[in-house]
Amino acid sequence: MSVNVAIVGATGAVGQEFLTVLAERRFPIANLTLWASAKSAGKKFEFAGKTLTVRELTKDSFKDVNIALFSAGSSISREFAPAAVSAGAIVVDNTSAFRMKQGIPLVVPEVNPDQIAKHNGLIANPNCTTIIMTVPVWPLHKANRVKRMVISTYQAVSGAGAWGLYELESQLKAYAAGQPIHREKFPHQIANNLFSHNTPIDVNGYNEEENKVINETRKIFSDPKMNITITCVRVPIPRAHCESINLEFERPMTPEMVREILSKAPGVKLVDDRAKNHFPMPLEASGQDDVLVGRIRQDISRDDGRGIDLFVSGDQIRKGAATNAVQIAEKLIVS
Amino acid sequence: MSVNVAIVGATGAVGQEFLTVLAERRFPIANLTLWASAKSAGKKFEFAGKTLTVRELTKDSFKDVNIALFSAGSSISREFAPAAVSAGAIVVDNTSAFRMKQGIPLVVPEVNPDQIAKHNGLIANPNCTTIIMTVPVWPLHKANRVKRMVISTYQAVSGAGAWGLYELESQLKAYAAGQPIHREKFPHQIANNLFSHNTPIDVNGYNEEENKVINETRKIFSDPKMNITITCVRVPIPRAHCESINLEFERPMTPEMVREILSKAPGVKLVDDRAKNHFPMPLEASGQDDVLVGRIRQDISRDDGRGIDLFVSGDQIRKGAATNAVQIAEKLIVS
């Protein structure tokens, strides 16, 4: 069975990764169409030996489309996803537009694949930071309930979009050449600097990115009482997010138990070589789908043996976005 | 009263900062001598309008020296600090050689200045990550005991020494020029990457840097039961460390109480503008002595009101090393 696939936001960082991931995974495509704003219409990309031309997205773009992969921002999803669903497509939406809506599945295939079948035409792909954390934490949570998490992130610039990568590279080149550094879209200089995540602060003092991780994780884990505090930080890294995660379990948990569980967990790769000081790094996580996990150790600030620290790194454009959405699409066509 | 000062390790990152900080603070110097290894002997530096020549450190270097500021590595301190003390100098040692030794004061002047008078010729300057965290946390701890801390760090390359900065810059220049990136002293590429702190992992699974922060903080706070877990990470930033800090207090604590206390705390500057998304950043902390504190908010993962999150940034070469040592020296000559 082959299906017709539409990519909405085809020229963005995630849109481009959709092309790579669909090809790599030999997704059974009958016809692939690429959609973007009028500004990007006419751009051409190669896929499976054919040249595809990006067209301007309209509400009529979805005739005969079976699966529409949306990644063009929340407002575009809000405006056009209903049209896609009306036309008979199933939308896998990579924006935050529908994630917290009741009745819309929010899916990480390694965590809650059973939710996929409950869709009414629309499935939401979680935030990248949420996905990268839930893949390794879920199998631990199943074995021994996680009562509370304290997370600090190290987020790559391309998480903000292709422009984030461009801005970091432009600033690094200016710095290397001894020229003045210009800031464009990020609120602060990013080369040689880091800053609190560039999303607005909500009334509870957390920024939007942090509240997304908290709320989405509760929905994905079906655990509305999951306690999470998180600090999201943008760092001068091109690609792949890292997260320093402190876990409090319901019962005692040892590093050996964690390693045993994670060594068998789907989507996880242990990188935890203490002798060689080799742990998860963005440079090694970039371009792969597994979430790297290391620095697994007993939290010595607790004397009840219920604390574990770990450090993870995952490619936020692949597993944090494109791969996760394509995995959902794969399960849609099998089911 | 003017005193004779010796700087041991004068050509290093901290050694050079000693020259800047002593001049800026108009430290009352009668005679300043600079010491380093044979390799660096002969190098010349300006200080207060005079040209000083670096000489090779020997055990006879400390005749007539009143205060010796050591920052040339632990093994040099272990070998030469006793000679300095024997010659009548008071040593302020910036290495880890003596920090945890009983009877040797470990001092952050904003926290435990009373310990300075208890010295027997030697006072230890804490680890930079310890200093930057203890300056803002101490006044909170005094008001409402901190029972537990969960810390994740974002540490600048110059914390490893002047070579760390050189290695980052060389790699960034190679990257900007499209040339291959060479690794020299860091265990992994640092440009466009980050990694778990480059110190060996101890038997408890924490690295040396993490264990230093845990043990030193307990000594400085005179609170051997202080519970701390910490993950130390090296990031591609030239200068100034950041720390994401989650605090659990004995009694309920509000963000307003924290702001009120920190607005009056010595060595602290609040940078906490939610509307402008302006919080502590290494770019703004670099070159100043205050520790910047922001992202102050109630930890919503606790329902007992006893949790606070904050994010800090401090110049690890100034307040984290040179300035802290010179502050100690100032208190020595006043007392």
Side-chain angles (χ1 to χ4, degrees), chain A residues 8 35-36 55-62 70 79-80 83-84:
Chain A
V8 176
W35 307 92
R55 283 177 280 170
E56 182 183 357
L57 179 68
T58 71
K59 286 181 182 164
D60 301 320
S61 300
F62 303 99
F70 270 70
E79 190 177 349
F80 293 93

Side-chain angles (χ1 to χ4, degrees), chain A residues 133-209:
Chain A
M133 177 272 284
T134 53
V135 168
V137 171
W138 171 252
L140 305 175
H141 180 67
K142 269 198 302 184
N144 185 353
R145 184 172 172 266
V146 173
K147 290 180 64 177
R148 181 170 175 256
M149 295 189 225
V150 180
I151 305 171
S152 296
T153 73
Y154 305 70
Q155 296 184 233
V157 292
S158 53
W163 64 264
L165 187 58
Y166 173 80
E167 187 152 335
L168 173 62
E169 292 198 333
S170 304
Q171 292 184 353
L172 287 179
K173 282 178 183 162
Y175 171 75
Q179 288 162 356
I181 290 175
H182 296 294
R183 192 178 60 71
E184 287 178 56
K185 290 179 77 176
F186 278 127
H188 310 284
Q189 177 182 319
I190 183 64
N192 289 333
N193 194 27
L194 60 81
F195 46 80
S196 179
H197 194 275
N198 50 299
T199 43
I201 306 287
D202 290 334
V203 285
N204 65 357
Y206 288 70
N207 60 42
E208 273 183 10
E209 180 84 354

Side-chain angles (χ1 to χ4, degrees), chain B residues 22-52:
Chain B
L22 288 168
E24 273 182 20
R25 297 176 77 98
R26 299 171 187 276
F27 193 88
I29 289 178
N31 186 39
L32 177 65
T33 51
L34 307 182
W35 307 92
S37 66
K39 208 180 63 183
S40 293
K43 285 189 180 171
K44 290 176 195 306
F45 298 100
E46 296 292 313
F47 183 80
K50 278 192 252 176
T51 300
L52 304 179

Side-chain angles (χ1 to χ4, degrees), chain A residues 66-82:
Chain A
N66 302 113
I67 294 177
L69 303 169
F70 270 70
S71 192
S74 299
S75 56
I76 299 295
S77 289
R78 265 185 229 104
E79 190 177 349
F80 293 93

